[in-house]
Structures are given as structure tokens and as C-alpha cells.
């Protein structure tokens, strides 16, 4: 039997549930899930293997139309590379959203690969509206296959998965068969901590900070982690720490619980906050934080 393998690029506007879908398809929580824009900053690969197939799901930041920092320019480059690599496009749209992203749709039309439009959140809609949305997207992207789904409730997701496998090109696997992702455990620790910052702080704070794991020491039952949260200004550092350290303590407690669930081990987490001004425009600092052009 021929082996199939390919890159599947998952794209969509913020709040459409693409990270939820990514995690559902991969079977692990490897993408941050929040309702805020620019949640994903890196290109994250999730690898699913079968006896005769390998799917490499690709999640990237959303397109930033007016980049304000060097970081944004690099994030946009991740998108360009993902389009080049793609053997299949999963375009996730919120079935309750009536606005079309014309720039993305036009770019998808130029792709010479299969396209699946996934109408997510059908649990928040009704049969009549679903049928109208299917007809609308058949007209907007005539060459695409349209699937009504609910990533949150796993509705129709397995059928999408099986359809993806059928469309993969005949190809040997790109990665070893036991790999889940191209990212290290340190990376996922930083993503979990950053997710808690996104959930617990408002306005500019979540977008002005970056997280670095300084030490990761693993034994049979315990993982000892030291991590630093870098803020852009002293005022942000004060907000991150909170009165008497209460805010950063809350982030630490929430992060530790999720890291323990992710690793299956007891976690000791030491969180610190430092200031690194203008890190979003400093190429050397961006490389230190894992942003590679």
C-alpha cells in the first residue's frame, strides 16, 4: 500500500476556533486557545501518524496587515512559508460571521492544492443558516469542499480527518513516526505560561511580553522549571507582578497545573519578571526568543 504524507495548513481569522480544531485533529493541546488576536506567534507543527500516512498540520499567526514591529514581519514570513509548504488548505470560518476576508480568499484561490472550507461552530447555528452558509462558500470558493463542523464538540471532525488522508499525495513521511511536533517541551512550557498571561491581563500587557525557559531539569517524578517573563516597560513589570506578588502567583499556579497535565509529572515552577525594552524590534533579542526569519 502506498504511503501518503503532506503538510496541511490551517488558517482563519481570530476567534474562529482554528487552534481548537488543530488540537482536536492532532489529539493533543499544542496550540494556545484564547479569544484574543495574535495568540499564535510562531509556526507550530502537529504531526499525526498512521500505518500508511503522516499528516503535518501547520498553525501560524494570523496575517498582520500593518506590521508595527520586526516581530510582526517575522510572523508574516511564517505565513508565507506555510502557504508554500501546503499540500492542502483548511480554511476555518465562523459560521456566525457574515464578513468575508477577501484578501485571504483571493490568496487561497491562487493555490493549486485542495481546499477545505470548514464552517465551524454549527452548534451555535441552525439547519437553515448552515445550508445558506454552505451555498455561500460554494460560490465564494467554487473549487473548495465545504464541511460544516463543531471543533468544540468534535462534530464532523473525524470525517474531515478521513477526507484529509484521502487527499494527501503519495509520499514518504517527513518526520520520524513517533514525533508529535517539531517543537521542544521548553517551547510548550513558554506557550502555556503565555496563555495564562493572555487570560489574566488586559490591554497591551499580553502583547508586550515574551517568556523564556531558563532551566528545565527533569527527574523520574519531578520537573524543575525556571522561567522569565520579559516585559517592555517597568510599569508593565509592576502590573505583571501585582500587589504583593498576587498576580504573578496566580499565573504560576495556573501554569503549573497545565504543565503537570501536559507532562504527567509533578512540576516546580519558578517565575520571574524582567524588563527588556524594545525587544519586539531587536533582531538579536528576537532570535533569543525563538523568532527566526
Amino acid at each position: 500500500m502506498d504511503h501518503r504524507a503532506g503538510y496541511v495548513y490551517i488558517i482563519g481569522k481570530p476567534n474562529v476556533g482554528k487552534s481548537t480544531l488543530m488540537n482536536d485533529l492532532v489529539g493533543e493541546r499544542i496550540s494556545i486557545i484564547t479569544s484574543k488576536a495574535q495568540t499564535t506567534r510562531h509556526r507550530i507543527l502537529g504531526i499525526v501518524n498512521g500505518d500508511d500516512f503522516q499528516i503535518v498540520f501547520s498553525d501560524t499567526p494570523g496575517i498582520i496587515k500593518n506590521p508595527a514591529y520586526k516581530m510582526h514581519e517575522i510572523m508574516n514570513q511564517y505565513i508565507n512559508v506555510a502557504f508554500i509548504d501546503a499540500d492542502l488548505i483548511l480554511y476555518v470560518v465562523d459560521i456566525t460571521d457574515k464578513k468575508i476576508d477577501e484578501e485571504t480568499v483571493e490568496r487561497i484561490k491562487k493555490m493549486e492544492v485542495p481546499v477545505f472550507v470548514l464552517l465551524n461552530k454549527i452548534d451555535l447555528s441552525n439547519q437553515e443558516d448552515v445550508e445558506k452558509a454552505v451555498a455561500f462558500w460554494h460560490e465564494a470558493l467554487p473549487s473548495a469542499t465545504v464541511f460544516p463542523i463543531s471543533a468544540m464538540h468534535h462534530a464532523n471532525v473525524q470525517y474531515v480527518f478521513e477526507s484529509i488522508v484521502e487527499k494527501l499525495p503519495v509520499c514518504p513521511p517527513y518526520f520520524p513516526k513517533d514525533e508529535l511536533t517539531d517543537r521542544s517541551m521548553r517551547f510548550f512550557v513558554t506557550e502555556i505560561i503565555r496563555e495564562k498571561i493572555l487570560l489574566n491581563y488586559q490591554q497591551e500587557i499580553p502583547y508586550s511580553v515574551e517568556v523564556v525557559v531558563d532551566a528545565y531539569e527533569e527527574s523520574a517524578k519531578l520537573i524543575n522549571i525556571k522561567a522569565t517573563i520579559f516585559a517592555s516597560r517597568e510599569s508593565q513589570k509592576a502590573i505583571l507582578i501585582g500587589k504583593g506578588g498576587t498576580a504573578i502567583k496566580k499565573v504560576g499556579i495556573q501554569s503549573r497545573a497545565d504543565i503537570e497535565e501536559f507532562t504527567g509529572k509533578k512540576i516546580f515552577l519558578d517565575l520571574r519578571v524582567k524588563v527588556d525594552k524594545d525587544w519586539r524590534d531587536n533582531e538579536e533579542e528576537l532570535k533569543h526568543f525563538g523568532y527566526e526569519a
Side-chain angles (χ1 to χ4, degrees), residues 90-115:
L90 294 185
Y91 184 36
V92 188
V93 298
D94 185 333
I95 197 166
T96 65
D97 184 5
K98 306 304 181 183
K99 296 181 180 179
I100 185 171
D101 185 343
E102 293 183 7
E103 186 175 332
T104 300
V105 169
E106 288 305 312
R107 188 164 187 177
I108 290 173
K109 283 181 178 178
K110 296 175 183 177
M111 298 292 293
E112 296 181 358
V113 299
V115 176

Side-chain angles (χ1 to χ4, degrees), residues 104-278:
T104 300
V105 169
E106 288 305 312
R107 188 164 187 177
I108 290 173
K109 283 181 178 178
K110 296 175 183 177
M111 298 292 293
E112 296 181 358
V113 299
V115 176
F116 292 175
V117 175
L118 307 186
L119 304 179
N120 196 21
K121 304 183 183 181
I122 58 172
D123 50 298
L124 303 178
S125 189
N126 57 57
Q127 184 63 32
E128 182 181 354
D129 287 342
V130 169
E131 290 175 359
K132 287 180 180 178
V134 170
F136 172 84
W137 283 103
H138 274 310
E139 184 175 345
L141 285 169
S143 63
T145 306
V146 182
F147 297 84
I149 69 165
S150 172
M152 183 68 70
H153 299 285
H154 196 67
N156 219 21
V157 174
Q158 183 60 34
Y159 180 60
V160 171
F161 185 93
E162 292 168 359
S163 300
I164 291 169
V165 174
E166 291 177 2
K167 292 291 186 179
L168 294 176
V170 175
C171 180
Y174 290 100
F175 295 90
K177 282 285 199 166
D178 59 350
E179 285 196 16
L180 171 67
T181 179
D182 63 329
R183 295 290 184 172
S184 68
M185 190 61 72
R186 281 174 176 249
F187 173 81
F188 289 109
V189 169
T190 66
E191 288 290 275
I192 288 170
I193 296 169
R194 199 165 61 81
E195 178 191 46
K196 303 313 171 191
I197 294 169
L198 280 158
L199 294 171
N200 284 288
Y201 300 92
Q202 301 299 317
Q203 298 176 342
E204 176 67 10
I205 295 290
Y207 306 105
S208 301
V209 303
E210 189 53 78
V211 182
V212 172
V213 172
D214 304 304
Y216 186 97
E217 300 171 355
E218 186 170 2
S219 61
K221 295 182 179 180
L222 176 71
I223 303 176
N224 193 324
I225 301 171
K226 294 181 180 180
T228 301
I229 300 170
F230 289 93
S232 297
R233 297 192 298 272
E234 289 289 344
S235 59
Q236 294 170 351
K237 177 181 177 181
I239 295 170
L240 282 162
I241 293 172
K243 187 177 181 180
T246 53
I248 196 65
K249 183 178 180 181
K250 182 179 180 181
V251 169
I253 290 170
Q254 293 176 347
S255 300
R256 186 175 69 245
D258 274 16
I259 298 168
E260 286 181 343
E261 183 180 352
F262 192 77
T263 62
K265 290 188 176 183
K266 192 74 176 175
I267 298 296
F268 176 81
L269 178 62
D270 179 13
L271 276 183
R272 301 179 183 183
V273 183
K274 294 182 180 180
V275 175
D276 186 350
K277 294 180 180 179
D278 302 322

